[in-house]
Amino acid sequence: MNDATGGPRARAGGTASAVAARISLPTYDVTVAPGSLDSVGDVARRVAPAHRYAVVTDGNVGPLYARRVVESFAGEPLHVVDIPAGEAQKTRANWGQVTDALLDAGCGRDTTIVALGGGVVGDLAGFVAATFMRGVPYVQVPTTLLAMVDASVGGKTGVDTPAGKNLVGAFHQPVAVIVDPAVLATLPLAHRRAGLAEALKHGIIADAGYFDRTAHDPDSLWIGAESDRVTALIARSIEIKADVVRRDEREGGLRKVLNFGHTLGHAIEAASGYALLHGEAVAIGMVLESELAERAGVADAGTAMRIREAVQRVGLPIDRPRAVEASSLLAATRGDKKARAGSAEYALPRRIGAMAGEERGWGIPVDERLVLEVLA
């Protein structure tokens, strides 16, 4: 095992080639290990003992993995709540339905919630945990690559509204995050690729070597879901994000760098009617925002091309949907939660491995005419 300052090493026992890592944040640990899905009950009982446990999952993940998680609790009182799958389900209405289901099941303040699923389930179940009985503990068990490397860590919870993504929510840290890379074996290829967008983002933010390794020979990543390379990729991405979150838990400054690709990405995702996966929209957002950084004189020459080539190499889109007007996307950025005084602020790279804007608090205002030029 390792802490956040060291690299992952082989774990004793289990699959001989498997890599395991433990990354520590101030109030919880993130465990990355093949086969760890079967330890969810043990971990939950240790870090958040409860009178009753509730597993929130969706129609895709539940049939595959809910039974294993339930069995890991060895007969503890447990209630399973299913929601339909998909970003369109991350709503206030479903927040209410999950909350009502917990109340109907007799759950009280002595309840611990387990979020079993991708980013939608994690965000929604986390928001339920943040607000149910004014806050109960929850354990994140991410089952998509995107949720593993990004969404499950950092304590951002919330739901979407017609006005935009994640506009209603709360900071509520999990008590544990359990990542089992073996479950990626059942994840569709498009969703695996979408998760690489956030991994590339972390490399752009803080680690040029990691960026290059992630983009190199991406097809080989999927040769064995328990491969050392996949598990190490997940662990390093979590380490990068955890380091940022430790230093700025509530996004008052440095944590804004994690929004690279998301200002335009969120607008594109919503404009697609969520037909684009989150990672696909973020990939397009990173390509556009890196071009914006160069045109604004913020990024070193060639940065945008390296990002574009890497995004394309891992099989993600690089162009915005042409059916949506550039002016409509620009208008959507003004309603983004990162906007200030009616204008969007951007997290922009200086080069691969380093972000610009420290002197401005890591949020950079950009002339909207320049944004329209890039979108066009």
Side-chain angles (χ1 to χ4, degrees), residues 184-361:
L184 296 177
T186 58
L187 189 69
L189 180 59
H191 289 259
R192 298 184 198 183
R193 287 174 171 161
L196 290 178
E198 294 287 1
L200 287 173
K201 182 196 75 176
H202 290 146
I204 294 164
I205 288 168
D207 188 336
Y210 176 72
F211 172 84
D212 290 334
R213 291 193 300 275
T214 300
H216 175 70
D217 193 16
D219 290 342
S220 69
L221 281 169
W222 316 122
I223 302 174
E226 296 186 29
S227 71
D228 288 0
R229 188 178 170 202
V230 170
T231 308
L233 179 146
I234 293 167
R236 178 57 185 146
S237 204
I238 293 171
E239 286 176 349
I240 292 169
K241 181 167 184 179
D243 183 58
V244 173
V245 171
R246 274 190 219 99
R247 295 154 67 186
D248 179 18
E249 180 179 318
R250 301 183 72 85
E251 204 174 279
L254 178 64
R255 188 166 176 172
K256 293 177 184 177
V257 301
L258 295 170
N259 293 323
F260 171 58
H262 285 63
T263 301
L264 291 176
H266 278 171
I268 291 166
E269 184 180 6
S272 78
Y274 301 107
L276 283 172
L277 296 173
H278 176 69
E280 292 172 335
V282 168
I284 298 168
M286 291 193 299
V287 170
L288 294 172
E289 290 180 20
S290 59
E291 176 66 24
L292 185 61
E294 282 199 33
R295 293 194 184 202
V298 170
D300 293 350
T303 300
M305 182 57 69
R306 284 187 65 189
I307 292 172
R308 172 182 285 267
E309 290 174 347
V311 167
Q312 199 164 26
R313 193 178 307 127
V314 302
L316 289 168
I318 58 174
D319 296 314
R320 70 172 182 85
R322 294 299 170 183
V324 182
E325 293 289 337
S327 57
S328 298
L329 293 175
L330 179 62
T333 67
R334 299 182 188 123
D336 189 271
K337 65 183 185 299
K338 299 177 287 298
R340 297 293 182 270
S343 297
E345 290 186 344
Y346 291 81
L348 299 176
R350 187 174 303 283
R351 58 184 178 275
I352 305 298
M355 295 295 281
E358 181 176 8
E359 69 283 359
R360 301 182 181 94

Side-chain angles (χ1 to χ4, degrees), residues 97-139:
Q97 289 179 12
V98 174
T99 302
D100 288 345
L102 297 181
L103 293 170
D104 291 344
C107 295
R109 295 193 70 179
D110 50 359
T111 297
T112 293
I113 292 173
V114 176
L116 174 66
V120 170
V121 168
D123 284 359
L124 179 62
F127 188 41
V128 170
T131 51
F132 187 74
M133 301 290 173
R134 295 193 175 91
V136 297
Y138 75 114
V139 177

Side-chain angles (χ1 to χ4, degrees), residues 348-372:
L348 299 176
R350 187 174 303 283
R351 58 184 178 275
I352 305 298
M355 295 295 281
E358 181 176 8
E359 69 283 359
R360 301 182 181 94
W362 304 104
I364 300 175
V366 178
D367 190 313
E368 289 190 345
R369 290 172 295 181
L370 203 57
V371 179
L372 282 174

